[in-house]
């Protein structure tokens, strides 16, 4: 195992099972004959820690824009229903040319679920990683090779903390949460909800069975993110899909794709 | 635990600028709304720097408050709160700073 980042052949990042080449070096950059008597000096750097990720994200954004592809970064806790929402989306949003990038720590289970419906899908396994980053997304795009005018739905690793920090080069961020998780999620994970362009509230068919204060959820969300629209859906029952598909169609249009309106 | 990934980016960023120079100190600016915990970062920094030119380097972290502008009443204000509300009660604010993660300087031997 690599002592620097904990990666290994078993646990490193894989795109459809193949290891992604490491772009960072782990070489020993100095000899061990240090000269302690030399004087110290301070060098001003003033650079963003995530500058490299930001640059790669911009490169992805440019690549996507040139091909009129709308990339949507879908984030949530584990078990909120991201994959179920995607399954229904690829099955029913037939006016859109949808392709999918699945991010999980391990297993191709999610990609297999989406592929079963015939949709081009790439699985990224992050191994020890808790989020997708711009380099992984670029690797996923190379493997996926989406056609011009496509919509790339990215299912990020289930986690409401880390993915918020890493720009992938996506066009929009969707935060999904389900009523079974409790209404306090926006306040507990402000960073994630602050960056959302759309919030999707899933499993609304269960709202009468759980203690979910929907008014409080909306009020709290508005203190974190005053402008993101909220859509109520049940991905298993098909509730609210029309609004979700309409939003995706808008995204495809704003990327310059000639998407058909969807009227299920 | 994104602090490990953040630490790796720090090591890479410093190595890119400073080459093989031996680094004995790193000064960071971690905004209060950056989503990064300084304590977790210190822990991960030690792991990430092992066997690199930054091994054993001291980590100094500045944690400035966020700055925001209220679209409702026009006030400029600073806050350490994760939920950025103007004193007038409005959440319609533009964040001017607070999410930054910057390498300010390094100390070189």
């Amino acid at each position: 195992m690599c002592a620097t980042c904990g990666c290994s052949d078993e646990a490193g990042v894989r795109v459809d099972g193949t290891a992604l080449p490491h772009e960072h070096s782990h070489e020993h950059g100095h000899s061990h004959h240090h000269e302690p008597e030399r004087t110290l000096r301070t060098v001003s750097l003033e650079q963003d820690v995530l500058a490299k990720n930001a640059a790669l994200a911009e490169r992805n954004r440019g690549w996507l824009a040139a091909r009129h592809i709308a990339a949507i970064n879908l984030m949530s806790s584990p078990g909120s229903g991201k994959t179920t929402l995607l399954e229904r989306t690829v099955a029913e949003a037939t006016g859109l040319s949808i392709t999918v990038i699945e991010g999980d720590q391990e297993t191709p289970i999610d990609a297999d679920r989406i592929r079963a419906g015939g949709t081009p899908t790439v699985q990224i396994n992050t191994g020890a990683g808790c989020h997708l980053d711009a380099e992984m997304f670029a690797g996923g795009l190379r493997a996926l090779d989406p056609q011009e005018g496509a919509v790339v739905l990215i299912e990020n690793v289930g986690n409401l903390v880390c993915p918020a920090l890493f720009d992938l080069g996506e066009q929009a961020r969707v935060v999904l949460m389900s009523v079974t998780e409790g209404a306090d999620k926006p306040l507990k994970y402000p960073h994630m909800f602050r960056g959302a362009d759309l919030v999707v509230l899933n499993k609304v068919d269960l709202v009468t069975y759980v203690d979910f204060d929907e008014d409080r959820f909306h009020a709290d969300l508005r203190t974190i993110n005053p402008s993101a629209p909220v859509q109520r859906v049940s991905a298993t029952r098909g509730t609210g899909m029309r609004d979700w598909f309409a939003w995706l169609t808008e995204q495809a249009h704003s990327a310059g794709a000639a998407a058909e309106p969807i009227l299920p | 635990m994104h602090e490990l990934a953040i630490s790796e980016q720090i090591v890479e960023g410093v190595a890119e600028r400073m080459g093989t120079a031996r680094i004995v100190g790193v000064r960071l600016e971690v905004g209060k709304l950056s989503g990064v915990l300084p304590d977790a970062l210190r822990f991960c920094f030690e792991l990430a720097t092992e066997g690199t030119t930054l091994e054993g380097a001291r980590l100094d972290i500045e944690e400035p408050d966020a700055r925001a502008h209220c679209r409702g009443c026009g006030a400029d204000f600073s806050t350490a709160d994760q939920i950025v509300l103007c004193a007038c009660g409005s959440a319609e604010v533009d964040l001017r700073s607070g999410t930054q993660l910057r390498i300010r300087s390094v100390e070189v031997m």
Side-chain angles (χ1 to χ4, degrees):
Chain A
M1 190 179 83
C2 161
T4 301
C5 67
C7 68
S8 71
D9 289 344
E10 291 79 35
V13 174
R14 282 144 289 145
V15 175
D16 278 347
T18 305
L20 198 64
H22 246 67
E23 284 199 10
H24 65 282
S25 147
H26 296 145
E27 281 167 27
H28 219 74
H30 65 288
S31 88
H32 275 277
H33 301 287
H34 304 310
E35 294 160 39
E37 62 276 9
R38 279 165 69 180
T39 52
L40 297 179
R41 65 193 169 95
T42 302
V43 179
S44 170
L45 295 185
E46 296 296 350
Q47 73 177 47
D48 280 336
V49 171
L50 295 175
K52 188 183 164 199
N53 188 72
L56 284 171
E58 279 314 309
R59 198 200 287 174
N60 291 342
R61 203 165 267 125
W63 191 92
L64 293 161
R67 288 160 184 79
H68 306 296
I69 296 169
I72 310 299
N73 187 0
L74 188 58
M75 295 176 281
S76 82
S77 332
S80 305
K82 291 187 295 300
T83 313
T84 305
L85 180 66
L86 291 185
E87 277 177 315
R88 188 172 282 278
T89 304
V90 300
E92 295 182 4
T94 48
L96 297 170
S97 163
I98 295 180
T99 55
V100 174
I101 292 179
E102 284 287 343
D104 281 298
Q105 280 202 309
E106 293 299 337
T107 83
I109 292 172
D110 281 357
D112 290 345
R113 278 173 68 183
I114 303 296
R115 261 191 218 116
T119 299
T121 306
V122 164
Q123 177 80 54
I124 298 174
N125 288 125
T126 58
C130 48
H131 57 267
L132 294 179
D133 64 24
E135 188 180 332
M136 296 179 207
F137 179 46
L141 283 177
R142 277 194 299 272
L144 189 64
D145 195 19
Q147 66 184 55
E148 187 157 331
V151 174
V152 177
L153 295 176
I154 309 152
E155 182 178 335
N156 215 314
V157 178
N159 178 344
L160 281 176
V161 183
C162 312
L165 269 75
F166 293 84
D167 185 8
L168 305 180
E170 71 272 39
Q171 177 174 313
R173 291 182 162 202
V174 176
V175 177
L176 181 75
M177 70 163 274
S178 57
V179 299
T180 53
E181 294 168 61
D184 51 9
K185 283 287 175 295
L187 292 186
K188 284 182 172 171
Y189 301 95
H191 209 79
M192 178 58 80
F193 283 89
R194 189 178 294 124
D197 298 300
L198 172 72
V199 175
V200 176
L201 185 64
N202 191 24
K203 308 188 190 179
V204 293
D205 53 315
L206 301 178
V207 78
T208 51
Y209 305 103
V210 292
D211 184 20
F212 184 83
D213 185 340
E214 206 164 334
D215 290 338
R216 193 189 138 200
F217 161 73
H218 282 281
D220 288 350
L221 176 64
R222 287 295 165 243
T223 67
I224 303 288
N225 186 330
S227 56
V230 178
Q231 294 187 353
R232 298 174 91 256
V233 307
S234 165
T236 50
R237 305 268 179 238
T239 315
M241 286 298 119
R242 205 181 163 115
D243 287 345
W244 163 240
F245 296 159
W247 185 87
L248 284 178
T249 308
E250 268 171 41
Q251 293 296 319
H253 283 154
S254 71
E260 299 287 324
I262 302 153
L263 299 168
Chain B
M1 195 58 143
H2 52 289
E3 282 82 359
L4 185 57
I6 300 285
S7 300
E8 286 164 7
Q9 299 282 311
I10 295 168
V11 171
E12 263 186 74
V14 170
E16 242 164 59
R17 294 278 295 272
M18 303 306 299
T20 58
R22 176 95 179 102
I23 310 297
V24 295
V26 177
R27 177 168 288 277
L28 295 181
E29 185 174 306
V30 175
K32 289 251 172 70
L33 299 185
S34 66
V36 169
L37 289 176
D39 281 347
L41 193 59
R42 281 194 187 88
F43 176 76
C44 293
F45 182 77
E46 220 178 295
L47 295 175
T49 53
E50 261 175 44
T52 74
T53 54
L54 288 81
E55 183 164 346
R58 191 185 69 255
L59 188 60
D60 295 315
I61 303 179
E62 300 169 11
E63 296 173 68
D65 285 352
R67 297 281 309 161
H69 174 79
C70 178
R71 270 178 261 155
C73 73
D76 290 307
F77 62 100
S78 57
T79 178
D81 204 319
Q82 292 297 312
I83 296 150
V84 183
L85 290 177
C86 181
C88 77
S90 174
E92 298 272 356
V93 297
D94 296 317
L95 269 184
R96 297 278 158 84
S97 72
T99 60
Q100 73 274 31
L101 276 176
R102 293 181 66 75
I103 308 168
R104 301 220 53 195
S105 63
V106 289
E107 219 169 283
V108 190
M109 190 178 268

